[in-house]
Amino acid sequence: MNATFKNDVDLGLSAPTKYLPSKYFYDKKGDALFVEIMNMPEYYLTDAEHDIFKNQTLNLISALKINKTINFDLIELGAGDGIKTKELLKTLKQLGFKFTFIPVDISQNALNNLEKTIKKELPYISMNTKQGDYFNVLEDIKWFQKPKVILFLGSNIGNLKDGKAKEFIHKLSLALNVNDKVILGADLIKPKSIVLPAYNDSKGITKRFNINLLERINRELNANFDLNNFKHQPEYNEKEGIAKSFLVSTKKQNVEIGALNKTFTFYKNERIHTENSRKYNDTIIEDITKVSKLKIIDKLTDSKNYFADYILEKTAE
Ligand SMILES: C[S@@+](CC[C@H](N)C(=O)[O-])C[C@H]1O[C@@H](n2cnc3c(N)ncnc32)[C@H](O)[C@@H]1O
């Protein structure tokens, strides 16, 4: 059993406003459900960023200003199934660039699946996987000697509150050398009628994804959450620009978590906050990056203007 998981669950469920960190969605079942979510028509984020990676691959590559004669590390933080990244890998190789692909993910299962598909579809790619929380992995990649291109796609950054996102970007910047680049994928601010369904698909996959967090606590921490007594509740406040997911207790109930030797009380309608998905514009991205030495040097958007990939460069100043 993972001691950090146990600790984080204890902290989150003991807080006055209960929460659970979204990084724990991704176990074997959660990974598979997330792939299903990405295939749902409502989840526009993947299609929009895929549009950029598939149809503007050359623009993306030229924005990175990579020296063709030098070997570099292409490091993806929170790689997942890597569908979009494969477009980039393929074209980089076709153009004769020399690099090692290093996907990082908290889920070993996601990395195993990704490795399998890359070996099958793109066997000529040199690849080393790295399991871990990307906050911690930044400490290791700091020591990598080659030039780096970091991919942080899928608006993963939106899971972090703005203060934490600033801290992350600052830490990322410290892990890079001057001229290293970052592709930062960000979901753009848009109306509620488009955003909210992405977190509340008609087939209920997102609901199962959210509830799986409680199932995981049952499985791994010997708890007795009755899954029928919690419902999925997404919300999106246009003014704030943050989609939030909650699990709501439908009645007053006690839940025992064996691994913690504790009982937690949930009141009727009490919520557990499980995820934030922030939406962005240039001003917010500029604000988040301005604390660091990562400067925005380019930006590519999809044909619908739903999503942006910002190209950041580590500068000396
Ligand atoms: C929303 S998915 C996005 C996947 C991919 N980046 C994309 O754009 O399709 C998030 C991925 O990041 C991983 N992840 C989430 N939190 C993480 C963390 N703190 N450290 C490392 N990986 C994390 C998950 O396991 C999952 O594979």
Side-chain angles (χ1 to χ4, degrees), residues 22-27 31 34 38 43 46 49 76-85 104-108 110 131-137 151-156 159-160 209 275 307:
S22 61
K23 63 183 176 184
Y24 294 117
F25 280 135
Y26 302 93
D27 64 351
D31 290 340
F34 189 71
M38 289 195 292
Y43 199 77
T46 306
E49 195 172 32
E76 177 159 13
L77 304 175
D81 73 351
I83 293 270
K84 294 162 281 186
T85 309
V104 174
D105 208 289
I106 200 164
S107 163
Q108 184 62 50
Q131 191 273 333
D133 187 317
Y134 30 65
F135 266 93
N136 303 330
V137 168
L151 306 181
F152 196 38
L153 309 181
S155 211
N156 276 11
N159 295 149
L160 305 174
F209 180 69
E275 190 173 48
F307 200 95

Side-chain angles (χ1 to χ4, degrees), residues 89-278:
L89 298 177
K90 217 172 19 189
T91 311
L92 279 170
K93 211 64 202 176
Q94 278 163 1
L95 295 175
F97 286 96
K98 291 181 275 184
F99 61 96
T100 302
F101 175 46
I102 307 174
V104 174
D105 208 289
I106 200 164
S107 163
Q108 184 62 50
N109 172 67
L111 290 173
N112 294 346
N113 291 340
L114 179 60
E115 194 164 28
K116 235 185 272 166
T117 63
I118 298 264
K119 280 198 171 140
K120 195 167 157 217
E121 296 165 29
L122 308 168
Y124 43 82
I125 296 289
S126 144
M127 172 173 178
N128 292 319
T129 62
K130 201 163 173 45
Q131 191 273 333
D133 187 317
Y134 30 65
F135 266 93
N136 303 330
V137 168
L138 291 181
E139 300 291 338
D140 302 336
I141 66 171
K142 184 154 57 183
W143 307 109
F144 292 7
Q145 298 295 317
K146 293 185 217 153
K148 300 178 195 78
V149 174
I150 306 287
L151 306 181
F152 196 38
L153 309 181
S155 211
N156 276 11
I157 189 156
N159 295 149
L160 305 174
K161 288 188 177 158
D162 289 355
K164 209 67 184 156
K166 279 184 193 171
E167 190 188 319
F168 179 79
I169 292 289
H170 176 62
K171 230 177 147 184
L172 174 59
S173 144
L174 294 179
L176 301 183
N177 293 313
V178 173
N179 289 332
D180 284 347
K181 307 287 186 305
V182 178
I183 304 183
L184 177 66
D187 192 18
L188 300 175
I189 289 177
K190 58 182 82 58
K192 183 175 178 174
S193 56
I194 303 171
V195 174
L196 194 57
Y199 302 93
N200 200 23
D201 65 273
S202 52
K203 285 203 173 149
I205 316 283
T206 323
K207 173 181 166 190
R208 282 167 56 206
F209 180 69
N210 202 6
I211 295 267
N212 178 53
L213 200 43
L214 303 183
E215 278 182 78
R216 181 175 186 180
I217 299 173
N218 281 350
R219 278 193 296 271
E220 294 185 26
L221 302 183
N222 189 24
N224 66 353
F225 277 101
D226 183 338
L227 308 177
N228 296 316
N229 294 339
F230 287 86
K231 65 175 189 202
H232 168 62
Q233 188 181 75
E235 63 182 37
Y236 181 63
N237 177 331
E238 276 188 1
K239 212 165 153 209
E240 194 183 35
I242 305 175
K244 296 180 184 170
S245 290
F246 298 90
L247 287 162
V248 186
S249 176
T250 54
K251 58 184 244 191
K252 182 170 184 226
Q253 56 186 316
N254 288 328
V255 175
E256 283 166 30
I257 302 188
L260 294 172
N261 208 10
K262 277 190 181 174
T263 301
F264 294 88
T265 300
F266 295 83
Y267 294 97
K268 187 173 163 99
N269 295 328
E270 187 176 2
R271 308 201 295 181
I272 311 170
H273 184 186
T274 53
E275 190 173 48
N276 270 0
S277 302
R278 200 216 210 300

